Amino acid sequence: MRSIIVKATLLAAPLLTPYVSHNLLAQSTDQQKAIDVDKASSMIVEQTNQFRAKSDQQPSEVNPSLQEAAKSFARFMAEKDKYGHYADGRTPAERAKAAGYEYCVVRENIAYRTDTRELDAEFLADHFTQGWIDSPEHRENMLAQYITETAVAIATIDGTTYYAVQLFGRPESAAYRIELSNESEKTWTLQIESNGGMDEVHVPPRGVLKMKRCFPVTISIVDTNASLTLKDSANVKVQASDDGPTLTTN
């Protein structure tokens, strides 16, 4: 029996350029504004899940550890007036892990807005969500098929500049687990592709291969037409037929 266990991580890749809008003026930072910012964050989660639904993707659920990571980083950028995925010297995945998130994948969108008009939660939510949707790289994060969890936080110190952080994740516990059994009488060479990487392995007759991946997997048998794309954990069989080997799931 051969096992391949890989913990793939995506550290906010692709690193995204900010969506920025400039219009200037001051606003109070009273308790009501804090409540509005929290409301705007929740609205972004809802709007993003609606956007995912339009593309036939499953909704992402808010994860408390991701939420803590998002809040901490948004607050850091607001307090230090620093902006960028590495503004605090760490990657998005490192921040998520420090907050207790055992990750398989972490992706991050960030943005900021400076505005002097009196804003409300609806305006902030619409502004950040639509800005990310309109950016191909941000949109890729929002629509990633393998994402299952999310978090959003917005922070401001002066009531004029607002920093937003949107995190997406797939926990290690939800990694794709695949067990492949060669039920034929021949050794086959398999190509295993996932997130742009490829492994090549030889599986002997009656051999068993176990894998753990963080992204959808495509398995192909070299020099044949047999190929299978998996978007969930599965048991896979290599079987002989008159037309050559086949890959099937059960």
Side-chain angles (χ1 to χ4, degrees), residues 31-108:
Q31 183 61 29
Q32 181 60 43
K33 175 50 62 179
I35 294 173
D36 287 346
V37 167
D38 290 341
K39 179 181 178 182
S41 300
S42 297
M43 292 177 67
I44 290 173
V45 172
E46 182 179 352
Q47 291 173 357
T48 299
N49 279 331
Q50 291 172 352
F51 182 55
R52 287 176 61 84
K54 292 178 180 178
S55 297
D56 296 323
Q57 301 295 347
Q58 293 297 311
S60 299
E61 297 185 359
V62 174
N63 176 275
S65 296
L66 279 182
Q67 187 65 38
E68 176 56 33
K71 284 186 175 182
S72 177
F73 190 46
R75 185 168 58 248
F76 172 88
M77 289 192 291
E79 291 176 347
K80 302 299 183 180
D81 193 25
K82 292 184 177 181
Y83 179 81
H85 292 282
Y86 298 118
D88 65 349
R90 298 182 294 174
T91 67
E94 288 170 340
R95 290 190 290 271
K97 185 175 181 179
Y101 190 66
E102 296 297 328
Y103 68 90
C104 210
V105 177
V106 173
R107 304 191 75 155
E108 179 181 79

Side-chain angles (χ1 to χ4, degrees), residues 25 29 47 50 58 104 137 142 153 175 196 223:
L25 173 67
T29 55
Q47 291 173 357
Q50 291 172 352
Q58 293 297 311
C104 210
E137 292 158 323
M142 299 170 83
D223 296 328

Side-chain angles (χ1 to χ4, degrees), residues 38-192:
D38 290 341
K39 179 181 178 182
S41 300
S42 297
M43 292 177 67
I44 290 173
V45 172
E46 182 179 352
Q47 291 173 357
T48 299
N49 279 331
Q50 291 172 352
F51 182 55
R52 287 176 61 84
K54 292 178 180 178
S55 297
D56 296 323
Q57 301 295 347
Q58 293 297 311
S60 299
E61 297 185 359
V62 174
N63 176 275
S65 296
L66 279 182
Q67 187 65 38
E68 176 56 33
K71 284 186 175 182
S72 177
F73 190 46
R75 185 168 58 248
F76 172 88
M77 289 192 291
E79 291 176 347
K80 302 299 183 180
D81 193 25
K82 292 184 177 181
Y83 179 81
H85 292 282
Y86 298 118
D88 65 349
R90 298 182 294 174
T91 67
E94 288 170 340
R95 290 190 290 271
K97 185 175 181 179
Y101 190 66
E102 296 297 328
Y103 68 90
C104 210
V105 177
V106 173
R107 304 191 75 155
E108 179 181 79
N109 289 341
I110 59 176
Y112 73 90
R113 180 182 180 88
T114 299
D115 200 316
T116 58
R117 296 171 298 174
E118 186 168 342
L119 309 179
D120 57 23
E122 289 78 6
F123 181 91
L124 278 179
D126 292 345
H127 171 79
F128 287 128
T129 303
Q130 193 60 51
W132 287 325
I133 288 174
D134 290 342
S135 165
E137 292 158 323
H138 294 77
R139 184 169 63 249
E140 180 183 344
N141 286 344
M142 299 170 83
L143 295 180
Q145 180 271 332
Y146 46 82
I147 292 304
T148 61
E149 297 177 328
T150 191
V152 176
I154 301 172
T156 182
I157 295 301
D158 57 10
T160 298
T161 300
Y162 297 83
Y163 292 86
V165 177
Q166 183 178 49
L167 287 174
F168 299 99
R170 186 180 187 93
E172 195 281 332
S173 60
Y176 300 94
R177 288 170 169 79
I178 300 166
E179 181 172 316
L180 183 144
S181 303
N182 183 3
E183 297 188 351
S184 74
E185 299 301 324
K186 181 178 178 179
T187 295
W188 296 102
T189 300
L190 304 181
Q191 287 184 342
I192 303 163

Side-chain angles (χ1 to χ4, degrees), residues 229-249:
T229 297
L230 302 171
K231 296 183 178 181
D232 206 345
S233 297
N235 292 323
V236 180
K237 294 181 180 180
V238 179
Q239 297 175 313
S241 73
D242 294 339
D243 297 323
T246 63
L247 290 166
T248 60
T249 60

Side-chain angles (χ1 to χ4, degrees), residues 1-18:
M1 177 183 295
R2 180 172 179 176
S3 296
I4 297 179
I5 302 177
V6 176
K7 182 179 181 182
T9 60
L10 179 59
L11 306 182
L15 289 179
L16 307 175
T17 56

